[in-house]
Amino acid sequence: MAGAIIENMSTKKLCIVGGILLAFQVIAFLVGGLIAPSPTSTVSYLANKCVDVRKNPKNKWHLPWGNNPCEKIRNFDEAVSRQIEANDIVFSIHAPHPPNEMSPWFQFMLYILQVDVAFKLDNQIKNNAEITFNVSLGYRDDMVSEWQGMAYAEETRKLKCVFNYPKTKDNEGSYYECDVLPFMEIGTVAHKFYLINIRLPVHEKKGINVGIGDIRDIRLVGIHQNGGFTKVWFAMKTFLTPSIFIIMVWYWRRITMMTRAPVLLEKVIFALGISMTFINIPVEWFSIGFDWTWMLLFGDIRQGIFYAMLLSFWIIFCGEHMMDQNERNHFSSYWKQVGPIVVGSFCLFVFDMCERGVQLKNPFYSIWTTDVGTELAMAFIIVAGICLCLYFLFLCFMVFQVFRNISGKQSSLPAMSKARRLHYEGLIFRFKFLMLITLACAAMTVIFFIISQVTEGHWKWGGYTVELNSAFFTGIYGMWNLYVFALMFLYAPSHKNYGEDQSNGKHVAVVQPVFLIYLK
């Protein structure tokens, strides 16, 4: 009778805890869906064609408008009529469009390049054509200051275009369909105005920009984070940081109060809490006042550490719940399962360093622009994918083993002594409950990712507009914080003697979740 009462109390407490966590989860989605705007904005730019006969790409800036604009031509037919060579033309783009200003709240700038190439019988795009451009990036913080150089590079991109009409004289002037090209990525927006000057140097003897067709225009598409979303994101990180830190300190204090040493599962949960706190710490606030171009790379590293720790936790969580397993409580026992996580994480880290790491020095660099770089990047990604598949197989096998052991153990629970029975009941309960939460979190992540890809980005809900992409970011981020919070809350050890082994008269202290209270 007493056991049934306590079981009802435990169920009631579990429902209360689950209800509170669910309420916070709903709030996390609503914050992004109803308060925050769309995560990013896209702006299109058409380059102005400036004339520069002095050819000083590093020292002279060509501004498409303003107090001292460059000499412009409308099209290349005008250039031909005025005998202006291709080497004398500079494509100039000012970001943003007037009268707007860039802001540090935008966090990053990503640009992709699109070339408009017209078909001509005597100037077709050759196979495996490459386009080479000299590009200069400048900045200033008011409309009267001199432009300051920020980056200069000579880059080459593969030009992949398809002409969907018969290549006849009647179709001259029609445009190829060309793939967009990676152009530039900067991990901070520290200045108000940016100026991009692009040259397409032609050198027939060296084969530079020969066989790339009749280029008519250059377009850039700029992508940056919305300032409104950034403020909501920062506020959420600022709120969650002390929340997870406090529960983590409380959790470790409960462990250190025990007379025994911490077990492996408790250490891994604590490490997972540290990695979650590492992600939460809102160091992004400093990017508002400092030109920290490494913030994107730093963010990737933080996420990689958390996900590697999360995957390792799932393996150890299953392994430590194999109740009769002899090799337990030792990290070395899981080297086969954790090995693929380490290898895969290392491959993705090297790939990220080869891409965003190099972009710290040259924002126009992309590892995908060369054959060697593409093969290297694909090799890292394929190895990481293989490691992920191996990990998934290991995890499925271990989950199957645990459930098989649980089925066998449940049939023998009534014959056990009270302390031993309570111990196994606690393990079974916690495992099933955490597996249910884990599956729900993983399913929500996949579902909202798919929804964000196939919808227009927002829903109309009565008189409100719900931004799905923002809800996806804030909701999933809040969900994994709640998941880590629930782990530390459920697996914090209690300090009571929960049972007495009637067979030998010894008191047994059973480690149970704080809300699972059993009578002697």
Side-chain angles (χ1 to χ4, degrees), residues 358-512:
V358 178
Q359 286 174 350
L360 297 179
K361 292 293 185 181
N362 178 14
F364 306 103
Y365 174 81
S366 176
I367 195 174
W368 301 98
T369 57
T370 63
D371 292 335
V372 175
T374 300
E375 292 176 358
L376 185 63
M378 288 302 300
F380 285 132
I381 294 174
I382 290 172
V383 172
I386 293 173
C387 291
L388 180 62
C389 293
L390 290 176
Y391 166 83
F392 182 74
L393 293 176
F394 280 130
L395 183 62
C396 290
F397 177 71
M398 294 184 72
V399 171
F400 169 76
Q401 281 188 313
V402 174
F403 275 106
R404 185 182 61 181
N405 291 352
I406 285 177
S407 299
K409 191 61 63 178
Q410 282 180 316
S411 62
S412 59
L413 285 179
M416 293 182 178
S417 63
K418 186 176 181 180
R420 188 172 179 82
R421 175 173 56 81
L422 293 179
H423 174 66
Y424 281 123
E425 285 178 348
L427 290 176
I428 291 170
F429 177 82
R430 285 180 292 179
F431 178 79
K432 289 185 175 180
F433 184 76
L434 263 300
M435 283 302 297
L436 180 63
I437 293 179
T438 299
L439 291 174
C441 290
M444 290 287 284
T445 302
V446 174
I447 290 171
F448 274 89
F449 175 78
I450 295 175
I451 291 176
S452 67
Q453 299 299 311
V454 301
T455 62
E456 296 180 355
H458 60 270
W459 281 349
K460 289 291 185 180
W461 183 25
Y464 298 95
T465 299
V466 180
E467 289 289 344
L468 287 182
N469 291 339
S470 296
F472 167 75
F473 280 106
T474 60
I476 298 303
Y477 174 63
M479 181 186 69
W480 288 117
N481 272 272
L482 292 174
Y483 179 79
V484 175
F485 184 96
L487 278 175
M488 289 187 286
F489 182 78
L490 293 174
Y491 275 79
S494 179
H495 306 281
K496 299 179 180 179
N497 290 332
Y498 294 103
E500 182 178 352
D501 195 328
Q502 302 295 335
S503 62
N504 54 22
K506 294 181 179 180
H507 291 275
V508 182
V510 183
V511 180
Q512 300 285 3

Side-chain angles (χ1 to χ4, degrees), residues 131-159:
I131 181 171
T132 300
F133 52 83
N134 296 332
V135 56
S136 302
L137 175 65
Y139 70 88
R140 67 183 182 184
D141 292 312
D142 55 62
M143 299 299 294
V144 295
S145 299
E146 294 293 329
W147 288 98
Q148 303 296 320
M150 184 174 177
Y152 174 82
E154 180 177 296
E155 295 291 330
T156 300
R157 302 286 190 265
K158 290 186 177 297
L159 195 59

Side-chain angles (χ1 to χ4, degrees), residues 142-340:
D142 55 62
M143 299 299 294
V144 295
S145 299
E146 294 293 329
W147 288 98
Q148 303 296 320
M150 184 174 177
Y152 174 82
E154 180 177 296
E155 295 291 330
T156 300
R157 302 286 190 265
K158 290 186 177 297
L159 195 59
K160 298 180 180 180
C161 300
V162 176
F163 192 66
N164 295 319
Y165 307 98
K167 293 183 177 181
T168 61
K169 191 170 184 61
D170 293 338
N171 291 320
E172 282 193 337
S174 299
Y175 285 89
Y176 288 86
E177 289 188 7
C178 298
D179 293 346
V180 296
L181 306 174
F183 182 70
M184 181 181 72
E185 185 173 22
I186 300 177
T188 184
V189 187
H191 306 285
K192 294 182 179 180
F193 307 105
Y194 291 87
L195 181 63
I196 302 172
N197 286 173
I198 304 173
R199 295 173 180 269
L200 302 180
V202 177
H203 198 295
E204 295 186 2
K205 292 183 178 180
K206 296 181 178 180
I208 298 176
N209 287 331
V210 176
I212 60 174
D214 183 18
I215 294 180
R216 297 291 179 89
D217 284 302
I218 289 181
R219 305 174 188 271
L220 289 183
V221 177
I223 303 171
H224 61 78
Q225 190 164 295
N226 275 327
F229 176 82
T230 303
K231 294 175 182 178
V232 172
W233 187 254
F234 284 9
M236 192 171 183
K237 291 172 74 72
T238 303
F239 170 76
L240 289 173
T241 298
S243 304
I244 296 298
F245 182 76
I246 291 172
I247 189 67
M248 183 178 66
V249 172
W250 172 83
Y251 169 79
W252 191 247
R253 181 176 177 273
R254 294 297 294 265
I255 291 175
T256 55
M257 290 174 62
M258 301 292 291
T259 56
R260 58 171 176 80
V263 297
L264 177 61
L265 185 58
E266 293 169 340
K267 294 178 182 178
V268 173
I269 293 176
F270 183 68
L272 185 62
I274 293 176
S275 65
M276 190 78 255
T277 304
F278 187 44
I279 286 184
N280 288 340
I281 296 175
V283 294
E284 291 86 353
W285 283 110
F286 292 100
S287 66
I288 305 302
F290 297 94
D291 189 6
W292 287 356
T293 57
W294 44 265
M295 286 302 299
L296 286 178
L297 179 62
F298 183 63
D300 289 346
I301 293 174
R302 289 198 295 178
Q303 290 186 28
I305 292 174
F306 170 72
Y307 286 120
M309 198 66 244
L310 181 65
L311 296 178
S312 301
F313 162 74
W314 286 342
I315 285 290
I316 296 173
F317 175 70
C318 293
E320 293 299 291
H321 281 78
M322 292 182 184
M323 303 170 189
D324 297 324
Q325 180 176 275
N326 293 325
E327 295 183 1
R328 293 174 56 190
N329 203 28
H330 295 288
F331 188 78
S332 58
S333 303
Y334 299 96
W335 68 270
K336 292 182 180 179
Q337 295 87 349
V338 178

